[in-house]
Amino acid sequence: MLRIPCPWCGERDVGEFHCGGEAHIARPSGADTIDDDAWAEYLFMRQNPKGSHHERWSHAHGCRRWFHVVRDTDSDQVLAVYLMNEAPPDLPGRSS
Amino acid sequence: MQKYSIFSLARNALTRHENWREAWRSPDPKPEYDVIIVGGGGHGLATAYYLAKEHGVTNVAVVEKGWLGGGNTGRNTTIVRSNYLWDESAGLYEHSLKLWEGLSQALNFNVMFSQRGVLNLAHNLHDLRELSRRVNANRLNGVDSEILSTDEVKAFCPLIDCSPDIRYPVLGASLQRRGGVARHDAVAWGFARAADALGVDIIQNCEVTGFQRTEGRVEGIETTRGIIKAKKVGVVAAGHSSVIAAMAGFRLPIESHPLQALVSEPVKPILDTVVMSNAVHAYISQSDKGEMVIGAGIDGYISYSQRGGFDVVEDTLQAVVELFPTLSRLRMLRQWGGIVDVCPDASPIIGKTPVDGLFINCGWGTGGFKATPGSGNVFAHTIAHDEPHPLNAAFSLDRFSSGALVDEHGAAAVAH
Ligand SMILES: Cc1cc2nc3c(=O)[nH]c(=O)nc-3n(C[C@H](O)[C@H](O)[C@H](O)COP(=O)(O)OP(=O)(O)OC[C@H]3O[C@@H](n4cnc5c(N)ncnc54)[C@H](O)[C@@H]3O)c2cc1C
Ligand SMILES: [Zn+2]
């Protein structure tokens, strides 16, 4: 089973967590001027990569805090964990 | 094509079944095709078949990175039904169900389509109201559908625990009698054989790695077996749709999740229908071999690993055992995962892409097996005519900009 390292509680079974999907999706500014395609990009379009994925997790059945995970979606290996207010770490040899 | 019949069976029995011809050829790719279909699952093979059969486009190749039906086509729990809520969906899924009803004859291949009925259970007042609304919508659209009371559920499927004291009591159900199950491999093989007979080249072990384009128009594909030119390309790659879209330079509103299923040891016939429950996340039927075939909900994160977590399996089995206490001591034989292409409105995307000549058919998520013939049929029309068939016009990629979503979460939910 996938084990997710909570920055506060340590590594726990995935069943304790809720995955919040792709991270770092910025809400577009100029809400009243941008066109429908720009809204579609923000609301619906996703990278959904086969490889490194920056995503949000919450320790729903634990400390209930949110944090970031970088995970390889091909191997399910967790590559890095960082806090909500931190910038994504540099992972040598990998593109996002 | 060597026709399958009782006579050919008898004739081949005389030579100890050693002279059957292979069901389809395995040709080397030609330098160029009129149409290339990327993905040799049921939907891709059906597309190729209908291109040749109904549109006279026979210079077609289906390019598959693994083996035919090795994706979700060969990994699903094979539930077929058409009781979706909205007019657009009812049109598309009912078109498919009608094709299922004549498919074994049309393909001269037994796809073992068995219309044993599909029950959708209601466990609370809200479920019941939603089901009634859906049944009424279905009937207005000419889709057979009816509501059963708890007593009628018990009479129709005695194996279900209908007592009022279980955690989620059965308050009623909808029933589509024309729904049922089919044999997944046979669907891939049947379409492959019939397409091959019409001249389609089926090329396995050939992975698409990129596209050739000039001025926004597709000119061919790059593969592990070299470059193959094409006037048009149709991508039908389920869980890998986003990966292929990225090769062509655009994004999709799709997320790829593991979806798991499992089968038990075989037992005597005890369940002669399909039972689904959205609320408790379980669906179950019994295969002709006697195995109980059980499907789960998706794992909550993106993955291409074709594996899921045991926590999801455990949830599903808890629900199954609560509904069917008889099954509590059955041992499970096999468990596996597929990668499903989940779309925000739980409806497929079938149509054009931002690249000219490149078409896409994806987003079927947890429930596209039932649509295999219908999806291939309308997608072939879309590719042949450069414009959608009336039945898939509403399922274009630009609905995510226009806002005209086809929200089928109620009908699709966890189940199929
Ligand atoms: C566990 C499970 C249970 C399900 N239960 C049901 C159900 O009961 N009822 C129902 O209606 N639906 C169900 N589904 C969904 C259903 O299986 C799918 O929607 C449907 O089979 C999709 O068919 P397809 O032909 O589009 O995809 P697939 O069969 O996945 O075919 C896509 C093909 O594309 C190939 N491919 C990918 N990338 C490349 C590349 N780069 N180059 C070449 N080829 C490539 C893959 O190898 C694959 O063979 C279930 C799915 C799963 C996983
Ligand atoms: Zn924690």
Side-chain angles (χ1 to χ4, degrees):
Chain A
M1 183 179 324
L2 195 53
R3 312 250 305 162
I4 302 293
C6 171
W8 294 279
C9 313
E11 200 175 72
R12 317 283 303 193
D13 282 351
V14 69
E16 293 186 12
F17 295 85
H18 167 75
C19 182
E22 186 176 327
H24 308 297
I25 300 175
R27 186 182 169 90
S29 53
D32 44 355
T33 51
I34 61 168
D35 63 7
D36 291 346
D37 287 342
W39 277 118
E41 274 294 313
Y42 165 65
L43 287 172
F44 299 121
M45 299 302 162
R46 296 292 177 261
Q47 290 178 5
N48 194 25
K50 186 173 184 171
S52 302
H53 188 232
H54 295 72
E55 56 199 15
R56 296 170 155 187
W57 286 81
S58 130
H59 195 180
H61 299 291
C63 65
R64 300 193 54 78
R65 289 202 257 189
W66 284 89
F67 53 95
H68 286 127
V69 170
V70 190
R71 190 173 50 89
D72 184 329
T73 61
D74 197 8
S75 65
D76 283 340
Q77 199 190 349
V78 172
L79 304 172
V81 177
Y82 56 105
L83 303 183
M84 289 313 278
N85 56 0
E86 284 177 342
D90 271 344
L91 296 173
R94 288 185 177 266
S95 63
S96 66
Chain B
M1 183 168 83
Q2 186 180 26
K3 203 163 156 50
Y4 295 159
S5 69
I6 184 77
F7 304 109
S8 63
L9 192 63
R11 212 167 30 248
N12 279 281
L14 297 176
T15 51
R16 297 176 179 277
H17 296 292
E18 280 168 4
N19 292 323
W20 287 104
R21 255 180 276 149
E22 58 185 7
W24 56 83
R25 302 160 295 130
S26 295
D28 286 327
K30 289 191 244 171
E32 177 162 11
Y33 291 92
D34 290 340
V35 178
I36 292 178
I37 302 297
V38 180
H43 288 226
L45 293 163
T47 307
Y49 167 74
Y50 288 114
L51 271 170
K53 178 89 186 167
E54 294 193 350
H55 305 283
V57 186
T58 54
N59 186 22
V60 176
V62 177
V63 174
E64 162 58 47
K65 72 172 174 175
W67 66 95
L68 296 189
N72 295 342
T73 296
R75 293 167 186 269
N76 79 96
T77 51
T78 77
I79 302 174
V80 175
R81 60 187 175 88
S82 66
N83 54 351
Y84 282 68
L85 177 65
W86 299 106
D87 297 354
E88 295 84 355
S89 321
L92 185 59
Y93 289 100
E94 179 61 19
H95 177 55
S96 193
L97 183 50
K98 292 216 172 81
L99 289 170
W100 275 111
E101 286 171 333
L103 199 60
S104 292
Q105 288 73 20
L107 299 179
N108 179 232
F109 201 101
N110 188 359
V111 298
M112 294 166 74
F113 182 45
S114 158
Q115 292 177 292
R116 56 183 70 179
V118 176
L119 274 179
N120 287 75
L121 303 182
H123 301 280
N124 55 48
L125 209 52
H126 176 76
D127 279 0
L128 212 49
R129 287 180 182 149
E130 276 293 317
L131 279 188
S132 316
R133 178 188 181 203
R134 185 135 63 83
V135 165
N136 288 332
N138 292 158
R139 296 171 79 122
L140 287 171
N141 277 317
V143 174
D144 78 298
S145 199
E146 57 200 91
I147 286 279
L148 302 190
S149 66
T150 308
D151 288 345
E152 288 165 334
V153 171
K154 187 72 194 163
F156 186 75
C157 183
L159 206 64
I160 303 178
D161 183 355
C162 287
S163 52
D165 56 355
I166 67 170
R167 175 66 184 84
Y168 296 102
V170 176
L171 300 187
S174 73
L175 171 63
Q176 184 174 25
R177 291 184 193 268
R178 286 164 62 241
V181 291
R183 170 78 206 170
H184 46 23
D185 295 324
V187 175
W189 299 335
F191 273 118
R193 173 168 164 271
D196 174 90
L198 295 169
V200 172
D201 282 359
I202 291 164
I203 301 160
Q204 302 181 64
N205 298 312
C206 180
E207 179 170 353
V208 174
T209 53
F211 290 95
Q212 304 235 305
R213 283 179 288 166
T214 31
E215 291 170 11
R217 193 175 168 88
V218 71
E219 297 215 303
I221 58 171
E222 294 158 11
T223 77
T224 47
R225 294 178 66 178
I227 290 170
I228 315 175
K229 293 278 177 200
K231 298 196 181 72
K232 295 177 185 178
V233 177
V235 175
V236 204
H240 279 78
S241 299
S242 300
V243 176
I244 295 182
M247 293 173 194
F250 63 96
R251 297 213 292 171
L252 292 170
I254 299 278
E255 288 189 327
S256 299
H257 288 262
L259 180 65
Q260 303 182 70
L262 56 164
V263 294
S264 74
E265 58 189 328
V267 289
K268 287 185 177 169
I270 47 173
L271 183 63
D272 63 358
T273 188
V274 181
V275 180
M276 313 194 343
S277 168
N278 290 2
V280 301
H281 273 218
Y283 40 104
I284 181 165
S285 65
Q286 188 172 18
S287 74
D288 292 347
K289 283 186 285 184
E291 303 155 327
M292 305 309 292
V293 182
I294 299 169
I298 56 171
D299 285 65
Y301 47 87
I302 290 175
S303 178
Y304 289 84
S305 65
Q306 292 200 135
R307 272 197 308 266
F310 279 120
D311 52 325
V312 174
V313 171
E314 196 178 357
D315 275 0
T316 301
L317 290 180
Q318 280 167 356
V320 166
V321 168
E322 183 79 358
L323 282 173
F324 301 94
T326 339
L327 305 183
S328 65
R329 279 181 293 163
L330 269 189
R331 275 161 301 197
M332 294 299 144
L333 279 192
R334 295 191 302 282
Q335 164 270 353
W336 64 90
I339 299 303
V340 295
D341 38 340
V342 176
C343 211
D345 57 356
S347 286
I349 299 167
I350 316 170
K352 296 185 181 182
T353 69
V355 180
D356 284 344
L358 184 63
F359 301 81
I360 198 153
N361 183 347
C362 65
W364 291 98
T366 59
F369 179 71
K370 63 176 72 67
T372 305
S375 156
N377 188 269
V378 298
F379 194 46
H381 178 107
T382 307
I383 295 173
H385 295 273
D386 277 314
E387 59 180 76
H389 186 284
L391 288 175
N392 68 302
F395 297 96
S396 66
L397 182 55
D398 56 26
R399 74 177 185 270
F400 296 94
S401 302
S402 71
L405 304 188
V406 189
D407 180 1
E408 286 292 355
H409 283 285
V414 53
H416 317 285

